[in-house]
Amino acid sequence: PGGAEAGAEAAEEDQTTLMLRNFPDAFTRTALVNFLDSEGFRAAYDFVYFPIRFGRFVGFGYAIVNFITLEEARRARAHF
Protein backbone atom coordinates (compact mmCIF):
# COMPACT_ATOMS: atom_id res chain seq x y z
CA PRO A 1 0.00 0.00 0.00
CA GLY A 2 1.24 3.46 -0.85
CA GLY A 3 3.92 2.33 -3.30
CA ALA A 4 5.86 5.00 -5.15
CA GLU A 5 3.52 7.76 -3.99
CA ALA A 6 4.28 7.04 -0.32
CA GLY A 7 7.99 6.96 -1.15
CA ALA A 8 7.74 10.35 -2.85
CA GLU A 9 5.97 11.82 0.18
CA ALA A 10 8.65 10.44 2.50
CA ALA A 11 11.37 11.89 0.27
CA GLU A 12 9.63 15.30 0.32
CA GLU A 13 9.67 15.28 4.12
CA ASP A 14 13.47 14.98 4.05
CA GLN A 15 14.09 18.01 1.80
CA THR A 16 15.31 21.38 3.00
CA THR A 17 14.44 23.11 -0.29
CA LEU A 18 10.81 24.05 -0.82
CA MET A 19 8.86 25.53 -3.71
CA LEU A 20 6.42 28.18 -2.55
CA ARG A 21 3.67 29.02 -5.04
CA ASN A 22 0.77 31.31 -5.83
CA PHE A 23 2.47 34.67 -5.40
CA PRO A 24 0.87 37.63 -7.22
CA ASP A 25 2.63 38.86 -10.38
CA ALA A 26 3.66 42.12 -8.72
CA PHE A 27 5.38 40.32 -5.81
CA THR A 28 9.18 40.80 -5.68
CA ARG A 29 12.10 38.92 -4.17
CA THR A 30 12.47 41.66 -1.56
CA ALA A 31 8.78 41.35 -0.66
CA LEU A 32 9.21 37.58 -0.34
CA VAL A 33 12.21 37.93 1.99
CA ASN A 34 10.32 40.49 4.09
CA PHE A 35 7.32 38.15 4.17
CA LEU A 36 9.41 35.15 5.27
CA ASP A 37 11.07 37.23 7.98
CA SER A 38 7.74 38.60 9.23
CA GLU A 39 6.32 35.07 9.42
CA GLY A 40 9.07 34.03 11.84
CA PHE A 41 11.63 32.59 9.42
CA ARG A 42 14.35 35.27 9.73
CA ALA A 43 17.76 33.53 9.52
CA ALA A 44 16.03 30.18 8.87
CA TYR A 45 16.91 30.11 5.16
CA ASP A 46 20.08 30.65 3.16
CA PHE A 47 18.88 30.79 -0.45
CA VAL A 48 15.90 32.40 -2.20
CA TYR A 49 15.26 32.07 -5.94
CA PHE A 50 12.43 34.24 -7.24
CA PRO A 51 12.38 34.15 -11.05
CA ILE A 52 10.97 37.07 -13.02
CA ARG A 53 9.87 37.61 -16.61
CA PHE A 54 12.52 39.98 -17.89
CA GLY A 55 10.38 41.57 -20.57
CA ARG A 56 7.68 42.54 -18.09
CA PHE A 57 9.63 42.45 -14.78
CA VAL A 58 6.94 40.46 -13.00
CA GLY A 59 7.29 37.19 -11.15
CA PHE A 60 6.27 33.74 -12.34
CA GLY A 61 4.29 33.24 -9.13
CA TYR A 62 6.64 30.84 -7.38
CA ALA A 63 9.89 30.82 -5.42
CA ILE A 64 12.46 28.26 -4.35
CA VAL A 65 13.64 28.64 -0.76
CA ASN A 66 16.32 26.55 0.93
CA PHE A 67 16.00 26.33 4.69
CA ILE A 68 19.12 25.84 6.80
CA THR A 69 17.88 22.76 8.64
CA LEU A 70 15.42 19.99 8.02
CA GLU A 71 13.47 21.14 11.08
CA GLU A 72 13.09 24.67 9.65
CA ALA A 73 11.94 23.24 6.32
CA ARG A 74 9.35 21.08 8.06
CA ARG A 75 8.18 24.09 10.07
CA ALA A 76 7.84 26.14 6.88
CA ARG A 77 5.97 23.33 5.11
CA ALA A 78 3.52 23.16 8.02
CA HIS A 79 3.21 26.96 8.20
CA PHE A 80 2.57 27.59 4.51
Side-chain angles (χ1 to χ4, degrees):
E5 190 173 303
E9 280 185 29
E12 269 185 26
E13 289 294 319
D14 294 335
Q15 301 294 318
T16 58
T17 304
L18 303 180
M19 176 185 277
L20 304 178
R21 295 182 277 197
N22 299 322
F23 293 106
D25 286 349
F27 216 69
T28 65
R29 183 187 183 283
T30 300
L32 172 61
V33 167
N34 290 338
F35 174 70
L36 290 170
D37 292 352
S38 73
E39 292 294 309
F41 292 95
R42 182 181 303 274
Y45 54 91
D46 58 4
F47 177 81
V48 174
Y49 173 66
F50 191 82
I52 62 166
R53 297 168 202 223
F54 285 103
R56 297 174 40 212
F57 296 103
V58 296
F60 282 97
Y62 74 93
I64 307 292
V65 179
N66 186 66
F67 291 88
I68 58 173
T69 65
L70 185 55
E71 291 75 26
E72 291 292 355
R74 287 178 177 160
R75 187 170 71 90
R77 184 178 288 113
H79 185 80
F80 298 113

Coordinates of all heavy atoms in Angstrom, one line a residue:
P1 N 0.8 -1.2 0.0 CA 0.0 0.0 0.0 C 0.9 1.3 0.0 O 1.8 1.3 0.7 CB -0.8 -0.1 1.3 CG -0.7 -1.5 1.7 CD 0.5 -2.1 1.1
G2 N 0.5 2.2 -0.8 CA 1.2 3.5 -0.9 C 2.2 3.5 -2.0 O 2.2 4.4 -2.8
G3 N 3.0 2.5 -2.2 CA 3.9 2.3 -3.3 C 4.8 3.5 -3.5 O 5.3 4.1 -2.6
A4 N 5.0 3.9 -4.8 CA 5.9 5.0 -5.2 C 5.4 6.3 -4.6 O 6.2 7.2 -4.2 CB 6.0 5.1 -6.7
E5 N 4.1 6.5 -4.5 CA 3.5 7.8 -4.0 C 3.9 8.0 -2.5 O 4.3 9.1 -2.1 CB 2.0 7.8 -4.1 CG 1.4 9.1 -3.8 CD -0.1 9.1 -4.1 OE1 -0.5 8.8 -5.3 OE2 -0.9 9.4 -3.2
A6 N 3.9 6.9 -1.7 CA 4.3 7.0 -0.3 C 5.8 7.3 -0.2 O 6.2 8.1 0.6 CB 3.9 5.8 0.4
G7 N 6.6 6.7 -1.1 CA 8.0 7.0 -1.2 C 8.3 8.4 -1.5 O 9.2 9.0 -0.9
A8 N 7.5 9.0 -2.5 CA 7.7 10.4 -2.8 C 7.4 11.3 -1.7 O 8.1 12.3 -1.5 CB 6.9 10.7 -4.1
E9 N 6.3 11.0 -1.0 CA 6.0 11.8 0.2 C 7.0 11.8 1.3 O 7.4 12.8 1.8 CB 4.6 11.4 0.8 CG 3.4 11.9 0.0 CD 2.2 11.5 0.7 OE1 2.2 11.3 2.0 OE2 1.1 11.4 0.0
A10 N 7.6 10.6 1.5 CA 8.6 10.4 2.5 C 9.9 11.2 2.1 O 10.5 11.9 2.9 CB 9.0 9.0 2.7
A11 N 10.2 11.2 0.8 CA 11.4 11.9 0.3 C 11.2 13.4 0.4 O 12.1 14.1 0.7 CB 11.6 11.5 -1.2
E12 N 9.9 13.9 0.2 CA 9.6 15.3 0.3 C 9.9 15.7 1.8 O 10.3 16.9 2.0 CB 8.2 15.6 -0.1 CG 8.0 15.9 -1.5 CD 6.5 16.3 -1.8 OE1 5.8 16.8 -0.9 OE2 6.1 16.1 -2.9
E13 N 9.5 14.9 2.7 CA 9.7 15.3 4.1 C 11.1 15.4 4.5 O 11.4 16.0 5.5 CB 9.0 14.2 5.0 CG 7.5 14.2 4.9 CD 6.9 15.5 5.5 OE1 7.4 16.0 6.6 OE2 6.0 16.0 4.9
D14 N 12.1 14.9 3.7 CA 13.5 15.0 4.1 C 14.2 16.1 3.3 O 15.4 16.1 3.2 CB 14.1 13.6 3.8 CG 13.6 12.5 4.7 OD1 13.2 12.9 5.8 OD2 13.7 11.4 4.4
Q15 N 13.5 17.0 2.6 CA 14.1 18.0 1.8 C 14.1 19.3 2.6 O 13.2 19.7 3.3 CB 13.3 18.2 0.5 CG 13.2 17.0 -0.3 CD 14.5 16.5 -0.9 OE1 15.3 17.3 -1.3 NE2 14.7 15.2 -0.9
T16 N 15.2 20.1 2.4 CA 15.3 21.4 3.0 C 14.9 22.5 2.0 O 14.8 23.6 2.4 CB 16.7 21.7 3.5 OG1 17.7 21.5 2.5 CG2 17.1 20.7 4.7
T17 N 14.8 22.1 0.7 CA 14.4 23.1 -0.3 C 13.0 23.0 -0.6 O 12.5 21.9 -1.0 CB 15.3 22.9 -1.6 OG1 16.7 23.0 -1.2 CG2 15.0 24.0 -2.6
L18 N 12.2 24.1 -0.6 CA 10.8 24.0 -0.8 C 10.5 25.0 -2.0 O 11.1 26.0 -2.1 CB 10.0 24.5 0.4 CG 10.2 23.8 1.7 CD1 9.4 24.4 2.8 CD2 9.9 22.3 1.5
M19 N 9.4 24.6 -2.7 CA 8.9 25.5 -3.7 C 7.6 26.1 -3.1 O 6.7 25.4 -2.6 CB 8.5 24.8 -5.0 CG 7.8 25.7 -6.0 SD 7.2 24.9 -7.4 CE 8.7 24.8 -8.4
L20 N 7.6 27.5 -3.0 CA 6.4 28.2 -2.5 C 5.7 28.8 -3.8 O 6.4 29.3 -4.6 CB 6.9 29.3 -1.6 CG 7.7 28.8 -0.4 CD1 8.1 30.0 0.5 CD2 7.0 27.8 0.5
R21 N 4.4 28.6 -3.8 CA 3.7 29.0 -5.0 C 2.5 30.0 -4.7 O 2.2 30.2 -3.6 CB 3.1 27.8 -5.7 CG 4.2 26.8 -6.2 CD 3.5 25.7 -6.9 NE 3.2 24.7 -5.9 CZ 2.9 23.4 -6.1 NH1 3.0 23.0 -7.4 NH2 2.6 22.6 -5.2
N22 N 2.0 30.5 -5.8 CA 0.8 31.3 -5.8 C 1.0 32.7 -5.3 O 0.2 33.3 -4.7 CB -0.4 30.7 -5.0 CG -0.8 29.3 -5.6 OD1 -0.8 29.2 -6.8 ND2 -1.1 28.4 -4.8
F23 N 2.2 33.3 -5.7 CA 2.5 34.7 -5.4 C 1.9 35.5 -6.5 O 1.9 35.1 -7.7 CB 4.0 34.9 -5.3 CG 4.6 34.3 -4.2 CD1 5.4 33.1 -4.3 CD2 4.5 34.8 -2.9 CE1 6.0 32.5 -3.3 CE2 5.1 34.1 -1.8 CZ 5.9 33.0 -2.0
P24 N 1.4 36.7 -6.2 CA 0.9 37.6 -7.2 C 2.0 38.1 -8.2 O 3.2 38.1 -7.8 CB 0.3 38.8 -6.4 CG 0.6 38.6 -5.0 CD 1.3 37.3 -4.9
D25 N 1.6 38.4 -9.4 CA 2.6 38.9 -10.4 C 3.5 40.0 -9.9 O 4.7 40.1 -10.2 CB 1.9 39.3 -11.7 CG 1.4 38.2 -12.5 OD1 1.7 37.0 -12.2 OD2 0.7 38.4 -13.4
A26 N 2.9 40.9 -9.1 CA 3.7 42.1 -8.7 C 4.6 41.9 -7.5 O 5.3 42.7 -7.1 CB 2.7 43.2 -8.4
F27 N 4.5 40.7 -6.9 CA 5.4 40.3 -5.8 C 6.8 40.3 -6.2 O 7.2 40.0 -7.4 CB 5.0 38.9 -5.3 CG 5.1 38.8 -3.8 CD1 4.2 39.4 -3.0 CD2 6.0 37.9 -3.3 CE1 4.2 39.2 -1.6 CE2 6.1 37.7 -1.9 CZ 5.2 38.4 -1.1
T28 N 7.7 40.7 -5.4 CA 9.2 40.8 -5.7 C 10.0 39.9 -4.7 O 9.4 39.5 -3.7 CB 9.7 42.2 -5.5 OG1 9.6 42.6 -4.2 CG2 8.9 43.2 -6.4
R29 N 11.2 39.7 -5.0 CA 12.1 38.9 -4.2 C 12.2 39.6 -2.8 O 12.2 39.0 -1.8 CB 13.5 38.7 -4.8 CG 14.4 37.9 -3.9 CD 15.8 37.8 -4.5 NE 16.6 36.9 -3.7 CZ 17.2 37.2 -2.5 NH1 16.9 38.4 -2.0 NH2 17.9 36.3 -1.9
T30 N 12.4 40.9 -2.8 CA 12.5 41.7 -1.6 C 11.2 41.5 -0.7 O 11.3 41.3 0.5 CB 12.7 43.1 -1.8 OG1 14.0 43.3 -2.6 CG2 12.8 44.0 -0.6
A31 N 10.1 41.6 -1.4 CA 8.8 41.4 -0.7 C 8.7 39.9 -0.1 O 8.2 39.8 1.0 CB 7.6 41.6 -1.6
L32 N 9.2 39.0 -0.8 CA 9.2 37.6 -0.3 C 10.1 37.4 0.9 O 9.7 36.8 1.9 CB 9.7 36.6 -1.4 CG 9.9 35.2 -1.0 CD1 8.6 34.6 -0.5 CD2 10.5 34.4 -2.1
V33 N 11.3 38.0 0.8 CA 12.2 37.9 2.0 C 11.6 38.6 3.2 O 11.6 38.1 4.3 CB 13.6 38.5 1.6 CG1 14.4 38.8 2.9 CG2 14.3 37.7 0.6
N34 N 11.0 39.8 3.0 CA 10.3 40.5 4.1 C 9.2 39.7 4.7 O 9.0 39.6 5.9 CB 9.8 41.9 3.6 CG 11.0 42.8 3.4 OD1 12.1 42.7 3.9 ND2 10.7 43.8 2.6
F35 N 8.4 39.0 3.8 CA 7.3 38.2 4.2 C 7.8 37.0 5.0 O 7.3 36.7 6.1 CB 6.6 37.7 2.9 CG 5.5 36.7 3.2 CD1 4.3 37.1 3.9 CD2 5.6 35.4 2.9 CE1 3.3 36.1 4.2 CE2 4.6 34.4 3.2 CZ 3.5 34.8 3.8
L36 N 8.8 36.3 4.5 CA 9.4 35.1 5.3 C 9.9 35.6 6.7 O 9.6 34.9 7.7 CB 10.6 34.5 4.5 CG 10.2 33.7 3.2 CD1 11.5 33.4 2.5 CD2 9.4 32.5 3.6
D37 N 10.6 36.7 6.7 CA 11.1 37.2 8.0 C 9.9 37.6 8.9 O 10.0 37.3 10.1 CB 11.9 38.5 7.8 CG 13.3 38.1 7.1 OD1 13.6 36.9 6.9 OD2 14.0 39.1 6.7
S38 N 8.9 38.2 8.4 CA 7.7 38.6 9.2 C 6.9 37.4 9.7 O 6.2 37.5 10.7 CB 6.8 39.6 8.5 OG 6.1 38.9 7.5
E39 N 7.0 36.3 9.0 CA 6.3 35.1 9.4 C 7.1 34.2 10.4 O 6.8 33.1 10.7 CB 5.9 34.3 8.2 CG 4.9 34.9 7.3 CD 3.5 35.0 8.0 OE1 3.0 34.0 8.5 OE2 3.0 36.2 8.0
G40 N 8.3 34.7 10.8 CA 9.1 34.0 11.8 C 10.2 33.2 11.3 O 10.7 32.3 12.0
F41 N 10.6 33.4 10.0 CA 11.6 32.6 9.4 C 12.9 33.4 9.2 O 13.8 32.9 8.4 CB 11.1 32.0 8.1 CG 10.0 31.0 8.3 CD1 8.7 31.3 8.3 CD2 10.4 29.7 8.7 CE1 7.7 30.4 8.5 CE2 9.4 28.7 8.9 CZ 8.0 29.1 8.9
R42 N 13.1 34.5 9.8 CA 14.4 35.3 9.7 C 15.5 34.4 10.1 O 15.5 33.7 11.1 CB 14.3 36.5 10.6 CG 15.6 37.4 10.5 CD 15.5 38.6 11.4 NE 14.3 39.4 11.2 CZ 14.3 40.4 10.3 NH1 15.3 40.7 9.6 NH2 13.2 41.1 10.2
A43 N 16.5 34.3 9.3 CA 17.8 33.5 9.5 C 17.5 32.0 9.5 O 18.4 31.2 9.9 CB 18.4 33.9 10.8
A44 N 16.3 31.6 9.0 CA 16.0 30.2 8.9 C 16.3 29.6 7.5 O 16.2 28.5 7.2 CB 14.6 29.9 9.3
Y45 N 16.7 30.5 6.5 CA 16.9 30.1 5.2 C 18.2 30.7 4.7 O 18.7 31.8 5.2 CB 15.7 30.5 4.3 CG 15.4 32.0 4.3 CD1 16.0 32.9 3.5 CD2 14.5 32.5 5.3 CE1 15.7 34.2 3.5 CE2 14.2 33.8 5.4 CZ 14.8 34.7 4.5 OH 14.5 36.0 4.6
D46 N 18.8 30.1 3.7 CA 20.1 30.6 3.2 C 20.1 30.9 1.7 O 21.1 31.3 1.1 CB 21.2 29.7 3.6 CG 21.1 28.3 3.0 OD1 20.1 28.0 2.3 OD2 21.9 27.5 3.4
F47 N 19.0 30.6 1.0 CA 18.9 30.8 -0.4 C 17.4 31.1 -0.8 O 16.5 30.4 -0.4 CB 19.4 29.5 -1.2 CG 19.3 29.6 -2.7 CD1 20.2 30.3 -3.4 CD2 18.2 29.0 -3.3 CE1 20.1 30.3 -4.8 CE2 18.1 29.1 -4.7 CZ 19.1 29.7 -5.4
V48 N 17.2 32.1 -1.7 CA 15.9 32.4 -2.2 C 16.0 32.6 -3.7 O 16.8 33.5 -4.1 CB 15.3 33.7 -1.5 CG1 14.0 34.1 -2.2 CG2 15.1 33.4 -0.1
Y49 N 15.3 31.9 -4.5 CA 15.3 32.1 -5.9 C 13.8 32.5 -6.3 O 12.9 31.8 -6.0 CB 15.6 30.8 -6.6 CG 15.4 30.8 -8.1 CD1 16.2 31.7 -8.9 CD2 14.5 30.0 -8.8 CE1 16.1 31.7 -10.3 CE2 14.3 30.1 -10.2 CZ 15.1 30.9 -10.9 OH 15.0 31.0 -12.3
F50 N 13.7 33.7 -6.9 CA 12.4 34.2 -7.2 C 12.5 34.7 -8.7 O 12.9 35.8 -9.0 CB 12.1 35.4 -6.3 CG 10.6 35.9 -6.5 CD1 9.6 35.2 -5.8 CD2 10.3 36.9 -7.3 CE1 8.3 35.6 -6.0 CE2 9.0 37.3 -7.4 CZ 8.0 36.7 -6.8
P51 N 12.2 33.8 -9.6 CA 12.4 34.1 -11.0 C 11.4 35.2 -11.5 O 10.3 35.3 -11.0 CB 12.1 32.8 -11.8 CG 11.3 32.1 -10.8 CD 11.7 32.5 -9.4
I52 N 11.8 36.0 -12.4 CA 11.0 37.1 -13.0 C 11.0 37.0 -14.5 O 11.9 36.5 -15.1 CB 11.4 38.5 -12.6 CG1 12.8 38.8 -13.1 CG2 11.3 38.7 -11.1 CD1 13.1 40.3 -13.0
R53 N 9.9 37.5 -15.1 CA 9.9 37.6 -16.6 C 10.6 38.9 -17.0 O 10.1 40.0 -16.7 CB 8.4 37.6 -17.1 CG 7.7 36.4 -16.7 CD 6.2 36.5 -16.9 NE 5.6 35.5 -16.1 CZ 4.6 34.8 -16.4 NH1 4.0 35.0 -17.6 NH2 4.1 33.8 -15.6
F54 N 11.7 38.8 -17.7 CA 12.5 40.0 -17.9 C 11.8 41.0 -18.8 O 12.1 42.2 -18.6 CB 13.9 39.6 -18.5 CG 14.8 39.0 -17.4 CD1 15.0 37.6 -17.3 CD2 15.4 39.8 -16.5 CE1 15.8 37.1 -16.4 CE2 16.2 39.3 -15.5 CZ 16.4 37.9 -15.4
G55 N 11.0 40.6 -19.7 CA 10.4 41.6 -20.6 C 9.4 42.4 -19.8 O 9.2 43.6 -20.2
R56 N 8.7 41.8 -18.8 CA 7.7 42.5 -18.1 C 8.1 42.9 -16.6 O 7.4 43.6 -16.0 CB 6.4 41.7 -18.1 CG 5.9 41.5 -19.5 CD 4.7 40.6 -19.6 NE 3.7 40.7 -18.6 CZ 3.0 39.7 -18.1 NH1 3.1 38.5 -18.6 NH2 2.2 39.9 -17.1
F57 N 9.2 42.3 -16.2 CA 9.6 42.5 -14.8 C 8.6 42.1 -13.7 O 8.4 42.8 -12.8 CB 10.2 43.9 -14.6 CG 11.4 44.2 -15.4 CD1 11.2 44.9 -16.6 CD2 12.6 43.6 -15.1 CE1 12.3 45.2 -17.4 CE2 13.7 43.9 -15.9 CZ 13.6 44.6 -17.0
V58 N 7.9 41.0 -14.0 CA 6.9 40.5 -13.0 C 7.3 39.0 -12.7 O 8.0 38.4 -13.5 CB 5.5 40.5 -13.5 CG1 5.0 42.0 -13.7 CG2 5.3 39.7 -14.8
G59 N 6.9 38.5 -11.6 CA 7.3 37.2 -11.2 C 6.5 36.1 -11.9 O 5.4 36.4 -12.5
F60 N 7.0 34.9 -11.8 CA 6.3 33.7 -12.3 C 5.3 33.2 -11.3 O 4.5 32.3 -11.7 CB 7.3 32.6 -12.7 CG 8.0 32.9 -14.0 CD1 9.2 33.4 -14.0 CD2 7.4 32.5 -15.2 CE1 9.9 33.7 -15.2 CE2 8.0 32.7 -16.4 CZ 9.3 33.3 -16.4
G61 N 5.3 33.7 -10.1 CA 4.3 33.2 -9.1 C 4.8 32.2 -8.2 O 4.0 31.6 -7.4
Y62 N 6.1 31.8 -8.3 CA 6.6 30.8 -7.4 C 8.0 31.2 -7.0 O 8.7 32.1 -7.6 CB 6.7 29.4 -8.0 CG 7.7 29.3 -9.1 CD1 9.0 28.8 -8.8 CD2 7.5 29.6 -10.4 CE1 10.0 28.6 -9.7 CE2 8.5 29.4 -11.4 CZ 9.7 28.9 -11.0 OH 10.7 28.8 -12.0
A63 N 8.5 30.6 -5.9 CA 9.9 30.8 -5.4 C 10.4 29.5 -4.9 O 9.7 28.6 -4.5 CB 9.9 31.8 -4.3
I64 N 11.8 29.4 -4.9 CA 12.5 28.3 -4.3 C 13.2 28.8 -3.1 O 14.0 29.8 -3.3 CB 13.5 27.6 -5.3 CG1 12.8 27.3 -6.7 CG2 14.2 26.5 -4.7 CD1 11.8 26.2 -6.6
V65 N 13.0 28.2 -2.0 CA 13.6 28.6 -0.8 C 14.3 27.4 -0.1 O 13.7 26.4 0.1 CB 12.6 29.3 0.2 CG1 13.3 29.7 1.5 CG2 11.9 30.4 -0.4
N66 N 15.6 27.6 0.2 CA 16.3 26.6 0.9 C 16.4 27.0 2.4 O 17.0 28.0 2.7 CB 17.7 26.3 0.4 CG 18.4 25.1 1.0 OD1 17.9 24.0 0.9 ND2 19.4 25.4 1.8
F67 N 15.9 26.1 3.3 CA 16.0 26.3 4.7 C 17.3 25.7 5.3 O 17.8 24.7 4.7 CB 14.7 25.8 5.4 CG 13.5 26.6 5.0 CD1 12.8 26.3 3.9 CD2 13.2 27.7 5.7 CE1 11.7 27.1 3.5 CE2 12.1 28.5 5.4 CZ 11.4 28.2 4.2
I68 N 17.8 26.3 6.3 CA 19.1 25.8 6.8 C 19.1 24.5 7.5 O 20.2 23.9 7.6 CB 19.8 26.9 7.7 CG1 18.9 27.2 8.9 CG2 20.1 28.2 6.9 CD1 19.6 28.2 9.9
T69 N 18.0 24.1 8.0 CA 17.9 22.8 8.6 C 16.6 22.1 8.2 O 15.7 22.7 7.7 CB 17.8 22.9 10.2 OG1 16.6 23.5 10.6 CG2 19.1 23.6 10.7
L70 N 16.6 20.8 8.3 CA 15.4 20.0 8.0 C 14.2 20.4 8.9 O 13.1 20.5 8.5 CB 15.7 18.5 8.2 CG 14.6 17.5 7.8 CD1 14.2 17.7 6.3 CD2 15.1 16.1 8.0
E71 N 14.5 20.7 10.2 CA 13.5 21.1 11.1 C 12.8 22.5 10.6 O 11.6 22.6 10.7 CB 14.0 21.3 12.5 CG 14.4 20.0 13.2 CD 15.7 19.4 12.6 OE1 16.6 20.2 12.1 OE2 15.9 18.2 12.7
E72 N 13.6 23.4 10.2 CA 13.1 24.7 9.7 C 12.3 24.4 8.4 O 11.2 25.1 8.2 CB 14.2 25.7 9.4 CG 14.9 26.2 10.6 CD 14.0 27.1 11.5 OE1 12.9 27.4 11.1 OE2 14.5 27.5 12.6
A73 N 12.7 23.5 7.5 CA 11.9 23.2 6.3 C 10.6 22.6 6.7 O 9.6 22.9 6.1 CB 12.7 22.3 5.4
R74 N 10.6 21.7 7.6 CA 9.3 21.1 8.1 C 8.4 22.1 8.7 O 7.2 22.1 8.5 CB 9.6 20.0 9.0 CG 10.2 18.7 8.4 CD 10.5 17.6 9.3 NE 11.1 16.5 8.7 CZ 11.8 15.5 9.3 NH1 12.1 15.6 10.5 NH2 12.2 14.5 8.6
R75 N 9.0 23.0 9.5 CA 8.2 24.1 10.1 C 7.6 25.0 9.0 O 6.4 25.3 9.1 CB 9.1 24.9 11.0 CG 8.3 25.9 11.9 CD 9.2 26.5 12.9 NE 10.2 27.4 12.5 CZ 10.1 28.7 12.3 NH1 9.0 29.3 12.6 NH2 11.1 29.4 11.9
A76 N 8.4 25.3 8.0 CA 7.8 26.1 6.9 C 6.8 25.4 6.1 O 5.7 26.0 5.7 CB 9.0 26.5 5.9
R77 N 7.0 24.1 5.8 CA 6.0 23.3 5.1 C 4.6 23.3 5.9 O 3.6 23.5 5.3 CB 6.5 21.9 4.9 CG 5.5 21.1 4.1 CD 6.0 19.6 3.8 NE 7.2 19.7 2.9 CZ 8.4 19.3 3.2 NH1 8.7 19.0 4.4 NH2 9.3 19.4 2.3
A78 N 4.7 23.2 7.2 CA 3.5 23.2 8.0 C 2.9 24.5 8.1 O 1.7 24.7 8.1 CB 3.9 22.7 9.4
H79 N 3.7 25.6 8.1 CA 3.2 27.0 8.2 C 2.5 27.4 6.9 O 1.5 28.1 7.0 CB 4.4 27.9 8.5 CG 4.0 29.3 8.8 ND1 3.4 29.7 10.0 CD2 4.0 30.4 8.0 CE1 3.2 31.0 9.9 NE2 3.5 31.4 8.7
F80 N 3.1 27.1 5.8 CA 2.6 27.6 4.5 C 1.7 26.6 3.8 O 1.1 26.7 2.9 CB 3.7 28.0 3.6 CG 4.5 29.2 4.1 CD1 5.8 29.0 4.5 CD2 3.9 30.4 4.3 CE1 6.6 30.1 5.0 CE2 4.7 31.5 4.8 CZ 6.0 31.3 5.2

